Amino acid sequence: MGDWIFAFFHVFLLIGIVLYALYSLIVGNTTRFAVIAAGLVLYYFFVLHKAVKKEIKRRHKK
């Protein structure tokens, strides 16, 4: 149960950050958008990429 809470918390947090980045782009603050987008890309590759690849392999085995 704790894993689900952790996962949903992070998914909603990431969605919020992406929406904030898009809002920054819409209002014309491209620097803020670029910094947030770069941070999200780095976060994906350094934190999530390994787990995503592992989950894809697990689902293909089913």
Side-chain angles (χ1 to χ4, degrees):
M1 181 71 171
D3 290 338
W4 279 99
I5 294 170
F6 180 79
F8 278 114
F9 174 75
H10 280 90
V11 165
F12 289 123
L13 187 63
L14 286 171
I15 290 170
I17 292 170
V18 167
L19 291 175
Y20 182 64
L22 291 174
Y23 170 76
S24 297
L25 183 63
I26 290 169
V27 297
N29 195 338
T30 55
T31 305
R32 182 184 300 154
F33 170 78
V35 169
I36 294 171
L40 287 172
V41 168
L42 289 172
Y43 176 73
Y44 173 78
F45 280 109
F46 287 122
V47 177
L48 299 177
H49 187 67
K50 189 177 187 180
V52 169
K53 288 182 77 167
K54 187 189 295 184
E55 182 65 17
I56 290 170
K57 280 185 182 179
R58 187 186 70 82
R59 288 187 181 226
H60 279 222
K61 287 181 181 179
K62 283 187 174 182

